[in-house]
Amino acid sequence: MSKIGVFVCHCGENISATVDCEKVAEEASKITGVEVSVDYKYMCSDPGQTMIKEAIKEKGLTGVVVAACSPRMHEPTFRKACSEAGLNPYMCEMTNLREHCSWVHEKGDQTTEKAIDLVRMLVEKTKLNKPLNSIKVPIHKKALVIGGGIAGIQSSLDIANAGHQVILVEKDPSIGGHMSQLSETFPTLDCSQCILTPRMVEVAQHPNITLYTYAELEKLEGFIGNFKATIRLKAKSVDPKLCTGCGVCYSKCPTKKIPSEFNEGLGLRTAIYTPFPQAVPNKPVIDKTNCTYYTKGKCKVCQKVCPTGAIDFDRPDEFITEDIGAVVTATGFNVLKPNFFPEYGYGKYKDVITGLQFERLASASGPTLGAIRRPSDGTEPKKIVFIACAGSRDPAKGLPYCSKICCMYTAKHAMLYQHKVHDGESYVFYMDIRAAGKNYEEFVRRAIEDDGVNYVRGRVARVYEKDGKLIVKGVDTLLGGKPVEIEADMVVLASAGVASHGAEELAQKMHISYDPYKFFAEAHPKLKPVETNTAGIFLCGACQAPKDIPETVGMASGAAAKVIGLFSNSELTREPVVAVVNRIASHEVSTCVGCFLCETACPYQAIVHEEIKNRAGEVIKTVAQVNPGLCQGCGTCVSFCRSKSIDIQGFSNEQMYAEVMAVLEA
Amino acid sequence: MDELRTKAKELFEKGEIDIFIGYEEGTRNPRPLFANNADETQKLVFNDMCTGNLAVYLTRKDLVKGKRVGISASYYALKSIAQLFVENQLKEESLKVFGLSSDRKIQALNSLEEIKQYLKDTPPPPKLKDDELIKQIDEMSSAERWAFWSDELSKCFKCYACRAACPMCYCTKCIVEVNRPQWIQPWASTLGNMEWQINRVMHMAGRCSDCGSCGTACPIGIPIHLLTHKMSETVKINFGDSSEKGNVLSTFKPEDKESFIL
Amino acid sequence: MNWLTQLNDEGSQIYAPVAKGNKTDYKHITSMEEISMDHIQTTQSAKAIAFPRTEKLFSYTKKEGNVTLQNFDTTTIPETVVFGIHPCDAAGFKPLSGIFNWDTPDLPFNERMKRTTLIAVSCTQCDEFCFCTSVNGNPGNTEGSDILLTPIKEGYLVEIITEKGENLVNKHISFFEADPNVNKEEYLAKVPVQFSLEELHEKISNMFESPVWKQQSERCLGCGACAYVCPTCACFDIQEDAHGSSGNRLRCWDSCGFSLFTMHTSGHNPREVQSQRWRQRLLHKFSYMPERISVRGCTGCGRCSRACPVDMNIAEHLSEIATL
Amino acid sequence: MNNEFEPKILAFVCNWCTYAGADLTGTSRIKYASNVKIVRFPCTGRIDFMLLLKAFANGSDGVIVSGCHPNDCHYTSGNFHARRRWILFRSLLDFMGIDIRRIQFSWVSAAEGAKWADIVNTTVASIRELGPYTEYQRAGDFLANNEEELAKEMEVNNG
């Protein structure tokens, strides 16, 4: 038999001004199973809590109902108090007499009646509460970081520096990502490589970081603290243990005319290559699609010249599996291929280039060693046009979002151009200038005011070639839509940032969600920006949405902090408000019939198949089982289950039913 | 008819099945037959009169557990079989299915894929009478509909023939037998009967083959199959044909349309 | 008919067959126009008159620790006349009464019976499911009825069987005439005998382990249709209709065909498979009841066969057993 | 107090949006009708359709069901599941002649305290107009029905 204690709070006068608290307590005492019912001025105060604790001890209460404010406010307070008095904290419930009653109704009998009903409901619910224990999940303290750009690098270093093992997986032959391609960075104009490469080296040398380049996540199973990751190590055709990185192979490779990805097609590379001189690891791989040996069966020059015999053409892809406790996804972004815009002539005119290509031109390590030259004829462009929002904020083209970084890098590009081509003339066509960020607005103003960049507010309608010049036709909306026509030598498109190739596939492998543009979805847009819906998988950088370097780094450290926080305990403790599949006597084992439709209803992949075996080890039945490590307690499965074989602790069918009946049958 | 007998016999002789579930001649209409050997297959019949949904026996453990089963299946039984596959209740390797082709020939359906193809290619048998009845009910006022259904359901005495005849009602403990809490009044009363039917129909959403066996089975002739038929239509109108995985109520689309949520 | 109208006017509740669609069932009628006698058999038997599908046995209220019980109130039972039931249906009340009185007399059942007068009508037609003649009944059987009417050329041949029947006739004697001296037999349906009852009895009591049970019951779906339409099936379940601190104890129909009927809380089920439940059904009717209360639990009405979704034709199955 | 009918209304709401929204109504001191009592669920996905029927069967004259707006579900998709459930459930009830005007579905976010008060007030007003939902409750109480019928007949007899 239940012994429930009801504790009615006046909340000063917040409740008692409109609710007759004494009467509520008195009426509650008449409910069957209520052992003690009292009212007090401030239940959450020390004396109030002591009152509850003493009643638990003296009267041997089996449940406590605190009729006070919103449980969203003080439920932890009172549950803790109960726990301190030896009552299981989940035997304590709150009913909301303040926000849902006294504050929203006028003083009167009806309001007091409602308060009594609210108490009655929770008393009936509490009678059916069961003691629950926090769920403990063991944790493998090893993190998997996917993507070796600045986000992945930062996250890996933070986690590794906290003393935890990190596996960093990068799909390209070198880490560094987009940041390594950049020339200078806004708003300080310091050299990107100069600040990045030390970090890259640190990753490679860190004792806690295992780096797998030219590798991809193949499969991810399991759940928070207990993932099993299968990683595909793509065959590099070069044995990294033997290779010294001397570079003879690529200097002798006869296939030399492959557009360099690192230089965005503005330079060339060989079939055996390292993406760039500062690559980490600085050991080449063979690009099988372009290597003559792989395509035609002949050549092997690299093998002949390699002093250490490191070339191994027959090595297959390898697979390794790792036990992982948490995953940080840092797969970055891609820029929209501007052939998306036939009107700007990208691909048709060599001198229409993307912002990322401009970065390579401006970079000291780029194909022109930092000199701004036209790809078509190698001359210095005297007049240059930058088109912002090339794709971004264009719902008609299916990209309604702002790519966020373009305003800033376009200003930077224009500035770099002016610094390098002193007699040059630059124009920026823009929709709005979005320069929110520390020193950002000042930076743009500098471009306009100090470096004389011409900003034209308006869209470009068309770019076409005429007599070796690129004619840029647009309008200036600030001059009332006046048509503008510029004869440019070069056009740079600030093309939109889009989700990286294969983002969708990767999200599906990891069971995380993504938005319509294939950017990965955070668990909450405000309060859980680095978490995903799948516990234990975190996000950072531009795989979530386009963002600049400081923001990426901040987010990467945030994700790392989440991982470190998770790893700070050997077990994960979770609220026991989770679903449970029932167990019944004898051979039926459970009323679950194993239709597994709940599996598709669960947003967290928390439903697994459990095979029930007899003593001979034969499977007699397969039923659903909830992984308490993954279940978040939404209860969608509970109301979906036809036979009511699955129930949720803390909001069980019986409890909810009793709560509803209590108010109606009173 | 002889064709099915020959085929079923062959399966026994080749040792490919342990039991064949089909129809034999009955008192008034064909009724289920369980052939346990080659000889017994010679009683089999299979024609348009064979309307009972035999898929109901595929989840009956006492009949089929551990056995390789042959079955002759009507259009609707095939739909049920396909759904039972989705719900992990059947194993492809232990099931041999025969349907009736559009020219009334026996058609072996050797895999779930073939069953799905058959269902895609074959239009469902029309339900003119049911559609007409539903139209009549739809045209009633809400109060008239209430009067109609409360009168019909007041007659229900809860024999659960509707449940027993339904291939999708294979729970070992039905919601009506759950008593903590007692979701549905277990005794026969208009409301308890309604609660039962509402539950049954909600549980059928997206799973029902629309075979109408529930209505045929009802000894008192309450047209409960109209409820499932209507539900099937509602599902189709709102969410299209059922998806490959999951159920209409265990899946969703962010763009699902409604007009009643403020 | 005028006689019934009179009875109705005098306050008796009259139940009679009413047709709706292709089904006919007993209903409480207020106008004699509602009666339909074209059917071969009503879907349900008339047993609900004395054994309602849901019956309140008692109710209770709890107040501050005290429980007040309110017993079954016999005064709420009205005088009832059931018109138009067939002899096989009327005969069903005897086995029912046997079950409800085999150790403790059942108050609600007996009180209802006491206030009920059965005016049966002989069968002039039958169908392939009828087999009353195989279980010692016949289309003009008087057993169980208070009055038996047999439709003859003009009007009805009236046979008064019990005192209750006589009282009812005497109340309005003007509607009745003296014996017209007709041969009742020639008006009755010809129901063929399908099996020998002696042979059946002989076999059925000694075949508990027979494979026939499994064979016959393979197609049985395990619903309760047969039991619920049966005039003699009396299985019931006790349910609680609780509302907060008050409630009712209810008796509701149940069926031995349900898989959960014999399920123990432990999870053990002594009748685990359908064949055991089918065996129970037939043995109870044809072996246990005759042995213990000296009455068969079957009157040959054939309702179960008609109601069965999968054509579990009981006469066919009994014939098979009798000729084993 | 006048003799106006005071409907009994239950509100089934999710913990994260509508419950918090109703908290905000409180902290904002916006007044609304006291007929509504809130039952807290973790998520609209948790709200069993049977609870709505049980509420009506046991004397509720109206029900409010409310949770997070689409895309705002704390559990990402519980409300999407719920929405499908309500679409089918509502259509079924309507087909059976059960009065769906007595169920008010809404999305109320944690920031929509005023909207919550509005939903409650309009629902109370419309249910008050519809009157008590006795026909549904009566269908459940077969005993009362029988007895009522009996009583009627007794009256005829005596009279």
Side-chain angles (χ1 to χ4, degrees):
Chain A
M1 189 69 190
S2 303
K3 286 185 178 180
I4 308 286
V6 176
F7 300 90
V8 184
C9 180
H10 293 220
C11 195
E13 288 201 331
N14 279 310
I15 295 172
S16 59
T18 52
V19 171
D20 181 346
C21 293
E22 286 106 55
K23 184 163 182 218
V24 173
E26 190 199 321
E27 287 299 316
S29 71
K30 295 180 191 162
I31 304 171
T32 319
V34 170
E35 185 74 9
V36 55
S37 179
V38 291
D39 60 295
Y40 181 67
K41 204 143 194 79
Y42 290 106
M43 272 302 161
C44 61
S45 68
D46 221 28
Q49 291 191 44
T50 308
M51 196 181 233
I52 296 173
K53 289 182 199 172
E54 275 171 5
I56 290 172
K57 287 181 201 151
E58 282 166 17
K59 311 267 181 183
L61 297 182
T62 59
V64 164
V65 174
V66 184
C69 52
S70 174
R72 297 172 56 82
M73 173 105 120
H74 269 317
E75 194 177 74
T77 314
F78 291 112
R79 285 194 166 167
K80 188 160 165 275
C82 289
S83 176
E84 282 164 9
L87 182 68
N88 183 289
Y90 297 95
M91 300 308 290
C92 167
E93 294 277 356
M94 286 190 74
T95 185
N96 194 340
L97 295 195
R98 195 178 71 178
E99 284 87 341
H100 291 187
C101 191
S102 70
W103 276 351
V104 289
H105 306 313
E106 307 291 348
K107 184 183 171 104
D109 290 347
Q110 275 188 330
T111 304
T112 301
E113 284 303 315
K114 173 170 171 176
I116 295 165
D117 276 343
L118 292 177
V119 171
R120 203 186 301 278
M121 287 159 79
L122 264 292
V123 167
E124 294 305 328
K125 181 187 183 196
T126 309
K127 281 186 196 171
L128 293 161
N129 277 20
K130 294 201 168 78
L132 302 176
N133 294 312
S134 309
I135 294 163
K136 309 264 190 216
V137 185
I139 295 167
H140 278 289
K141 296 188 184 179
K142 189 188 263 186
L144 171 68
V145 178
I146 306 171
I150 181 58
I153 289 171
Q154 182 66 39
S155 233
S156 299
L157 287 172
D158 286 348
I159 298 167
N161 286 337
H164 301 296
Q165 292 294 315
V166 176
I167 292 172
L168 174 58
V169 173
E170 165 58 48
K171 72 176 191 306
D172 285 338
S174 170
I175 56 170
H178 281 119
M179 188 176 169
S180 64
Q181 290 178 284
L182 306 183
S183 52
E184 271 78 33
T185 54
F186 60 80
T188 49
L189 289 188
D190 47 0
C191 149
S192 184
Q193 289 258 8
C194 314
I195 55 178
L196 178 65
T197 39
R199 293 291 177 94
M200 290 162 63
V201 174
E202 201 184 335
V203 164
Q205 293 175 346
H206 204 294
N208 286 345
I209 298 178
T210 310
L211 174 63
Y212 295 117
T213 52
Y214 219 45
E216 281 176 46
L217 180 73
E218 184 72 14
K219 198 162 76 180
L220 186 73
E221 295 163 301
F223 56 96
I224 183 168
N226 299 275
F227 294 107
K228 206 174 232 10
T230 307
I231 299 159
R232 174 196 285 267
L233 306 177
K234 292 181 279 188
K236 294 177 173 175
S237 313
V238 175
D239 187 337
K241 288 193 200 82
L242 297 175
C243 176
T244 58
C246 69
V248 176
C249 52
Y250 52 79
S251 64
K252 301 285 187 205
C253 177
T255 314
K256 293 186 191 300
K257 298 207 165 163
I258 306 161
S260 155
E261 293 85 357
F262 182 74
N263 283 323
E264 291 293 313
L266 294 179
L268 299 171
R269 65 163 171 86
T270 48
I272 185 165
Y273 73 110
T274 52
F276 53 102
Q278 299 77 21
V280 171
N282 200 349
K283 289 177 184 175
V285 298
I286 296 180
D287 166 11
K288 290 186 182 177
T289 52
N290 287 304
C291 168
T292 328
Y293 171 72
Y294 283 107
T295 54
K296 300 197 176 106
K298 271 188 209 161
C299 184
K300 294 197 178 183
V301 168
C302 49
Q303 196 174 41
K304 281 170 211 142
V305 300
C306 178
T308 62
I311 309 294
D312 180 358
F313 291 109
D314 301 325
R315 183 175 283 217
D317 289 2
E318 276 177 62
F319 294 92
I320 53 164
T321 53
E322 293 275 0
D323 288 321
I324 297 295
V327 181
V328 176
T329 310
T331 50
F333 70 111
N334 276 113
V335 291
L336 185 65
K337 282 292 164 241
N339 44 8
F340 201 59
F341 312 96
E343 64 271 33
Y344 295 156
Y346 183 87
K348 195 164 157 199
Y349 313 125
K350 281 188 168 172
D351 299 327
V352 178
I353 63 172
T354 65
L356 205 49
Q357 286 177 315
F358 188 86
E359 294 284 351
R360 293 315 300 147
L361 288 181
S363 168
S365 69
T368 57
L369 304 174
I372 307 298
R373 292 285 183 269
R374 297 197 342 155
S376 59
D377 54 12
T379 59
E380 192 175 64
K382 294 297 176 198
K383 204 181 252 184
I384 187 164
V385 169
F386 296 92
I387 302 177
C389 293
S392 309
R393 303 179 66 196
D394 192 349
K397 298 239 180 196
L399 295 180
Y401 61 84
C402 166
S403 293
K404 202 169 184 182
I405 52 177
C406 321
C407 284
M408 291 309 296
Y409 76 63
T410 297
K412 177 188 79 181
H413 289 169
M415 216 181 232
L416 289 176
Y417 171 76
Q418 293 296 355
H419 294 179
K420 287 177 194 254
V421 185
H422 298 292
D423 56 345
E425 212 178 307
S426 60
Y427 292 86
V428 173
F429 281 88
Y430 70 100
M431 286 165 75
D432 297 290
I433 300 171
R434 297 189 165 171
K438 190 169 174 178
N439 294 325
Y440 284 14
E441 175 63 18
E442 297 91 316
F443 183 77
V444 175
R445 294 247 63 93
R446 240 163 70 205
I448 298 170
E449 288 159 13
D450 298 355
D451 294 318
V453 179
N454 300 297
Y455 267 70
V456 184
R457 188 177 191 275
R459 298 212 79 159
V460 172
R462 226 176 122 209
V463 175
Y464 60 94
E465 204 173 41
K466 196 175 158 193
D467 307 329
K469 294 279 186 190
L470 292 165
I471 312 298
V472 180
K473 292 189 90 149
V475 287
D476 189 333
T477 53
L478 294 182
L479 295 175
K482 195 184 100 181
V484 179
E485 190 174 303
I486 295 165
E487 282 185 15
D489 298 315
M490 191 183 234
V491 172
V492 182
L493 305 177
S495 49
V498 294
S500 67
H501 303 308
E504 192 175 5
E505 204 185 320
L506 181 66
Q508 285 163 357
K509 271 181 200 165
M510 298 194 294
H511 304 294
I512 59 175
S513 37
Y514 45 90
D515 68 18
Y517 315 107
K518 314 287 188 281
F519 287 114
F520 300 148
E522 64 278 18
H524 190 281
K526 279 105 196 159
L527 301 176
K528 289 185 175 177
V530 301
E531 290 95 327
T532 63
N533 291 322
T534 305
I537 300 184
F538 303 95
L539 294 178
C540 62
C543 64
Q544 180 256 355
K547 51 178 63 68
D548 61 24
I549 296 168
E551 207 182 338
T552 295
V553 172
M555 194 173 179
S557 288
K562 289 284 171 191
V563 173
I564 297 161
L566 177 66
F567 288 180
S568 65
N569 295 301
S570 55
E571 281 181 328
L572 176 70
T573 305
R574 303 217 20 249
E575 279 265 298
V577 180
V578 293
V580 184
V581 178
N582 70 13
R583 281 290 178 274
I584 56 167
S586 187
H587 55 279
E588 284 293 346
V589 184
S590 168
T591 59
C592 171
V593 284
C595 75
F596 293 106
L597 293 179
C598 54
E599 203 179 4
T600 52
C602 177
Y604 303 102
Q605 284 75 45
I607 310 271
V608 294
H609 295 226
E610 184 188 15
E611 291 186 335
I612 308 291
K613 294 178 178 155
N614 61 13
R615 284 183 192 166
E618 300 151 24
V619 176
I620 49 170
K621 200 173 183 186
T622 307
V623 299
Q625 189 184 30
V626 178
N627 182 332
L630 286 176
C631 176
Q632 302 289 314
C634 68
T636 301
C637 55
V638 178
S639 34
F640 179 69
C641 180
R642 303 188 297 283
S643 57
K644 302 292 163 204
S645 301
I646 196 162
D647 208 345
I648 177 170
Q649 301 187 147
F651 292 95
S652 73
N653 284 321
E654 272 198 286
Q655 286 174 301
M656 301 322 290
Y657 189 93
E659 194 174 336
V660 169
M661 289 305 168
V663 60
L664 296 171
E665 287 179 342
Chain B
M1 201 181 290
D2 291 342
E3 207 187 339
L4 182 68
R5 290 178 187 172
T6 315
K7 285 192 168 153
K9 189 161 174 259
E10 243 176 59
L11 287 176
F12 274 112
E13 282 163 356
K14 282 196 271 177
E16 288 182 15
I17 54 168
D18 306 308
I19 187 171
F20 192 93
I21 306 178
Y23 300 90
E24 65 175 343
E25 291 300 349
T27 315
R28 282 180 186 167
N29 289 308
R31 67 188 181 198
L33 170 74
F34 300 84
N36 290 295
N37 53 52
D39 290 345
E40 285 171 13
T41 58
Q42 300 311 299
K43 283 198 249 171
L44 285 170
V45 295
F46 195 27
N47 52 44
D48 288 341
M49 293 288 284
C50 302
T51 49
N53 192 334
L54 293 183
V56 70
Y57 294 108
L58 293 176
T59 51
R60 279 272 302 273
K61 288 198 192 92
D62 50 337
L63 280 177
V64 301
K65 186 148 197 213
K67 288 185 183 167
R68 290 160 306 158
V69 183
I71 186 169
S72 58
S74 63
Y75 172 85
Y76 291 114
L78 287 171
K79 268 186 92 173
S80 303
I81 290 172
Q83 182 63 25
L84 287 171
F85 270 110
V86 171
E87 299 180 14
N88 298 288
Q89 302 299 314
L90 300 177
K91 286 197 189 97
E92 217 166 346
E93 64 273 18
S94 51
L95 194 61
K96 298 258 183 258
V97 183
F98 296 95
L100 270 186
S101 69
S102 51
D103 52 352
R104 310 287 92 180
K105 288 231 168 63
I106 303 297
Q107 185 181 354
L109 298 161
N110 295 315
S111 64
L112 176 57
E113 276 318 304
E114 286 186 29
I115 294 174
K116 283 186 189 157
Q117 197 53 48
Y118 176 96
L119 292 171
K120 219 177 269 171
D121 298 342
T122 317
K127 298 190 155 229
L128 302 176
K129 225 174 116 195
D130 292 352
D131 289 334
E132 177 54 33
L133 284 169
I134 287 195
K135 208 177 134 219
Q136 284 174 16
I137 297 171
D138 277 336
E139 282 166 2
M140 293 178 187
S141 71
S142 178
E144 285 168 338
R145 283 198 291 273
W146 170 257
F148 174 82
W149 285 111
S150 48
D151 175 50
E152 284 292 348
L153 291 171
S154 68
K155 292 184 256 173
C156 166
F157 50 30
K158 291 207 167 159
C159 69
Y160 298 121
C162 45
R163 178 181 73 178
C166 176
M168 302 321 294
C169 278
Y170 56 83
C171 286
T172 44
K173 190 172 189 181
C174 173
I175 175 86
V176 292
E177 279 131 13
V178 174
N179 56 3
R180 294 183 66 188
Q182 186 91 60
W183 288 107
I184 299 169
Q185 290 181 353
W187 50 90
S189 77
T190 305
L191 190 84
N193 300 343
M194 274 192 172
E195 286 174 341
W196 156 237
Q197 287 300 332
I198 291 171
N199 263 274
R200 195 181 70 83
V201 176
M202 284 300 284
H203 289 178
M204 285 302 135
R207 306 170 63 238
C208 176
S209 72
D210 207 6
C211 68
S213 290
C214 44
T216 319
C218 179
I220 336 185
I222 304 172
I224 45 176
H225 58 291
L226 296 183
L227 297 172
T228 43
H229 186 47
K230 174 79 179 177
M231 176 55 86
S232 298
E233 284 190 342
T234 313
V235 167
K236 209 169 170 184
I237 290 166
N238 284 284
F239 312 116
D241 284 319
S242 61
S243 59
E244 287 283 291
K245 234 185 133 39
N247 169 261
V248 64
L249 287 178
S250 73
T251 54
F252 66 90
K253 287 196 182 118
E255 61 273 19
D256 287 336
K257 288 274 169 300
E258 46 69 31
S259 56
F260 54 87
I261 307 181
L262 289 181
Chain C
M1 288 302 118
N2 294 337
W3 175 43
L4 289 179
T5 312
Q6 281 285 340
L7 293 174
N8 183 49
D9 291 347
E10 286 164 13
S12 290
Q13 274 203 29
I14 304 199
Y15 283 83
V18 175
K20 193 177 177 195
N22 54 2
K23 308 260 180 190
T24 304
D25 250 322
Y26 297 104
K27 274 187 98 171
H28 175 213
I29 57 161
T30 47
S31 153
M32 301 313 123
E33 308 292 303
E34 295 175 55
I35 302 176
S36 151
M37 290 304 292
D38 300 333
H39 59 283
I40 288 173
Q41 196 67 279
T42 53
T43 307
Q44 296 189 59
S45 78
K47 72 175 169 191
I49 300 297
F51 173 35
R53 55 186 198 181
T54 313
E55 180 156 56
K56 179 168 74 172
L57 299 178
F58 61 83
S59 51
Y60 59 84
T61 38
K62 282 187 281 185
K63 206 172 179 191
E64 285 159 24
N66 299 318
V67 181
T68 323
L69 276 186
Q70 224 183 345
N71 232 326
F72 181 76
D73 182 6
T74 55
T75 60
T76 59
I77 303 171
E79 286 294 331
T80 302
V81 171
V82 184
F83 174 80
I85 73 171
H86 286 323
C88 52
D89 227 356
F93 285 98
K94 192 177 169 199
L96 274 186
S97 179
I99 292 170
F100 282 111
N101 290 289
W102 75 280
D103 65 354
T104 315
D106 187 88
L107 181 74
F109 178 85
N110 290 337
E111 287 295 325
R112 285 185 196 279
M113 278 312 284
K114 218 187 276 174
R115 288 171 173 72
T116 302
T117 312
L118 302 174
I119 306 173
V121 175
S122 303
C123 300
T124 54
Q125 46 178 350
C126 67
D127 68 5
E128 67 270 46
F129 292 112
C130 290
F131 67 104
C132 56
T133 49
S134 308
V135 288
N136 283 352
N138 74 69
N141 194 12
T142 55
E143 198 183 343
S145 312
D146 295 304
I147 297 167
L148 178 68
L149 306 180
T150 306
I152 51 175
K153 274 188 201 107
E154 289 151 8
Y156 289 94
L157 171 74
V158 183
E159 291 172 82
I160 300 166
I161 295 117
T162 63
E163 202 178 310
K164 231 196 269 180
E166 194 170 358
N167 290 342
L168 214 58
V169 170
N170 286 341
K171 267 188 182 174
H172 304 286
I173 194 74
S174 59
F175 294 120
F176 301 87
E177 289 167 27
D179 186 349
N181 196 10
V182 291
N183 178 11
K184 181 176 153 194
E185 287 303 317
E186 84 186 52
Y187 295 97
L188 298 179
K190 305 283 174 284
V191 182
V193 175
Q194 297 199 31
F195 54 84
S196 148
L197 193 56
E198 287 69 37
E199 280 178 37
L200 176 71
H201 277 169
E202 203 176 289
K203 305 267 167 59
I204 205 162
S205 305
N206 300 300
M207 55 180 287
F208 195 77
E209 303 293 350
S210 168
V212 103
W213 304 119
K214 180 169 186 305
Q215 204 189 85
Q216 290 190 346
S217 68
E218 271 176 330
R219 66 175 178 272
C220 173
L221 295 167
C223 74
C226 48
Y228 288 5
V229 298
C230 177
T232 75
C233 272
C235 289
F236 58 79
D237 186 21
I238 297 294
Q239 290 283 353
E240 199 79 11
D241 175 27
H243 301 274
S245 57
S246 65
N248 304 300
R249 180 68 52 86
L250 305 177
R251 172 161 74 192
C252 326
W253 288 1
D254 204 344
S255 161
C256 62
F258 290 139
S259 61
L260 296 186
F261 185 74
T262 46
M263 176 72 96
H264 296 182
T265 312
S266 67
H268 171 63
N269 192 346
R271 290 187 213 131
E272 209 178 349
V273 291
Q274 205 55 38
S275 56
Q276 295 168 332
R277 298 173 207 131
W278 170 245
R279 174 176 66 195
Q280 167 65 22
R281 179 169 175 76
L282 290 199
L283 288 182
H284 190 246
K285 290 186 176 302
F286 292 95
S287 176
Y288 309 154
M289 281 173 70
E291 275 167 34
R292 289 176 207 175
I293 55 174
S294 310
V295 57
R296 236 181 332 280
C298 176
T299 65
C301 70
R303 278 197 182 82
C304 52
S305 307
R306 290 185 201 92
C308 182
V310 290
D311 194 24
M312 293 280 285
N313 187 323
I314 191 171
E316 186 188 330
H317 284 143
L318 291 171
S319 304
E320 189 186 357
I321 292 169
T323 53
L324 270 179
Chain D
M1 283 248 322
N2 51 23
N3 288 333
E4 207 168 22
F5 160 60
E6 286 301 339
K8 272 192 185 181
I9 298 174
L10 279 177
F12 299 148
V13 310
C14 87
N15 177 47
W16 304 96
C17 290
T18 305
Y19 194 93
D23 277 358
L24 180 64
T25 320
T27 38
S28 316
R29 310 294 204 277
I30 304 169
K31 301 282 185 249
Y32 60 77
S34 63
N35 306 56
V36 171
K37 279 138 212 166
I38 290 178
V39 185
R40 181 167 71 123
F41 289 79
C43 176
T44 40
R46 169 70 185 88
I47 303 170
D48 207 299
F49 64 82
M50 269 313 285
L51 278 173
L52 275 72
L53 294 182
K54 288 278 111 167
F56 285 128
N58 289 278
S60 191
D61 303 300
V63 170
I64 295 173
V65 178
S66 183
C68 308
H69 286 268
N71 291 316
D72 285 356
C73 176
H74 179 79
Y75 305 101
T76 71
S77 55
N79 55 355
F80 286 134
H81 287 290
R83 182 168 65 184
R84 281 203 160 190
R85 190 181 304 148
W86 304 136
I87 289 172
L88 297 184
F89 184 57
R90 207 170 160 275
S91 138
L92 175 62
L93 294 193
D94 192 34
F95 186 65
M96 296 181 77
I98 294 167
D99 194 351
I100 50 175
R101 294 171 299 175
R102 294 174 181 276
I103 311 175
Q104 180 59 62
F105 297 98
S106 60
W107 307 128
V108 173
S109 80
E112 295 175 320
K115 182 176 176 183
W116 175 248
D118 198 43
I119 296 267
V120 169
N121 286 333
T122 49
T123 308
V124 170
S126 71
I127 302 290
R128 188 173 279 144
E129 204 155 295
L130 290 172
Y133 199 16
T134 41
E135 60 261 42
Y136 191 82
Q137 290 139 22
R138 273 191 41 177
D141 208 347
F142 68 97
L143 296 165
N145 284 350
N146 287 353
E147 275 155 23
E148 218 167 282
E149 214 167 87
L150 279 178
K152 252 188 254 160
E153 254 148 66
M154 299 285 185
E155 254 169 58
V156 176
N157 294 345
N158 300 339

